[in-house]
Amino acid sequence: MVNFDNEWDELLKDEFKKDYYLRLRQFLIQEYKTQRIFPGMYDIFNAFKYTSYNDVKAVIIGQDPYHGVGQAHGLCFSVKKGVAPPPSLVNIFKEIKSDVGIDNMGKHGELTKWAKNGVLLLNNVLTVREAQANSHKNAGWEQFTDNVITLLDKREKPMVFLLWGANARAKTKIIKNPNHLILTCAHPSPLSAYNGFFGCRHFSKANEFLKAHGINEIDWSID
């Protein structure tokens, strides 16, 4: 049984009983036994443990976890302290500095502070084989995360969805509540960042929206 120690426990309790999730669970048991899977099994749901449902101010959606040793720890785009920030995260930091003047460069790449400040750092797929990007695609995680986004969409209190790249932008079809703000642009990957991620100003736009709705702004710095 997965425990989050917050509102997600009640909201997702029935999700873990559904047939698709039970199949996914059996798949994961076999994968963790026979392959090197990231993140570690106790870190899979860290995004939910750090950011409870009622505290969500913004949602950032990644594709799937980093597939290098020691990188993934259950928060999209984040790596633990001591691990060099990957190129996409470096580009995120560049845009933050350009947009809101906060300099996170040269520190580390752990985004736990964001998560605790109301940023749900959610990957579309929550697990991956070592060195095999997208290896757990279509195993069932997409249905799980779609249902999570549907639950978030139902919340009346406004939030911001930051959807970078085609994979994340595909989620716009299930975000229908006019209370929420959807911001879309290119992925921060070096392959696409110059196609619209740089200069998107999503970080200031998110805070402007939150402030306009009487919600505390997000501190985009890292400790």
Side-chain angles (χ1 to χ4, degrees):
M1 181 67 186
V2 180
N3 289 305
F4 306 110
D5 295 322
N6 59 37
E7 300 98 345
W8 289 115
D9 285 324
E10 182 66 24
L11 287 164
L12 293 175
K13 67 178 183 181
D14 292 334
E15 202 68 27
F16 294 121
K17 300 173 187 174
K18 293 180 179 178
D19 287 345
Y20 87 89
Y21 188 84
L22 296 175
R23 289 193 298 272
L24 170 61
R25 187 172 183 275
Q26 289 306 308
F27 167 77
L28 291 173
I29 289 170
Q30 186 65 21
E31 285 286 284
Y32 275 96
K33 281 181 181 177
T34 60
Q35 306 287 334
R36 194 168 194 185
I37 304 300
F38 300 129
M41 64 177 67
Y42 297 109
D43 287 336
I44 294 172
F45 294 103
N46 277 350
F48 302 92
K49 293 175 182 178
Y50 283 126
T51 315
S52 61
Y53 180 80
N54 289 330
D55 291 342
V56 174
K57 300 176 185 177
V59 184
I60 297 176
I61 301 175
Q63 179 177 281
D64 61 346
Y66 294 125
H67 50 76
V69 176
Q71 292 182 304
H73 66 114
L75 305 176
C76 74
F77 293 107
S78 178
V79 290
K80 289 185 178 180
K81 290 178 181 176
V83 178
S88 291
L89 182 55
V90 171
N91 285 341
I92 290 170
F93 287 164
K94 286 179 180 177
E95 178 61 22
I96 287 172
K97 185 176 181 182
S98 171
D99 184 14
V100 296
I102 292 171
D103 190 358
N104 292 324
M105 301 293 287
K107 297 178 181 178
H108 57 81
E110 186 170 320
L111 307 181
T112 304
K113 180 181 176 183
W114 293 5
K116 292 179 177 178
N117 195 217
V119 184
L120 184 68
L121 296 165
L122 181 67
N123 276 311
N124 188 34
V125 172
L126 300 189
T127 53
V128 69
R129 283 187 184 182
E130 180 182 12
Q132 296 182 48
N134 265 331
S135 48
H136 283 182
K137 185 179 180 180
N138 298 325
W141 280 127
E142 293 91 343
Q143 185 171 346
F144 178 83
T145 52
D146 277 3
N147 291 347
V148 165
I149 292 166
T150 297
L151 285 170
L152 290 165
D153 188 50
K154 289 179 179 176
R155 203 188 72 178
E156 289 304 303
K157 184 179 177 182
M159 70 184 77
V160 184
F161 290 88
L162 293 86
L163 308 179
W164 304 330
N167 191 279
R169 288 198 303 268
K171 300 293 189 186
T172 56
K173 67 182 184 294
I174 52 176
I175 304 168
K176 299 175 180 174
N177 188 336
N179 290 359
H180 308 315
L181 175 66
I182 301 172
L183 298 173
T184 65
C185 69
H187 194 276
S189 160
L191 298 173
S192 57
Y194 287 96
N195 293 331
F197 179 77
F198 289 137
C200 70
R201 300 188 64 243
H202 280 188
F203 305 95
S204 60
K205 288 176 181 177
N207 276 344
E208 288 164 7
F209 175 83
L210 294 170
K211 186 177 180 180
H213 289 85
I215 300 167
N216 289 336
E217 296 172 63
I218 295 163
D219 178 1
W220 293 111
S221 68
I222 57 175
D223 292 328

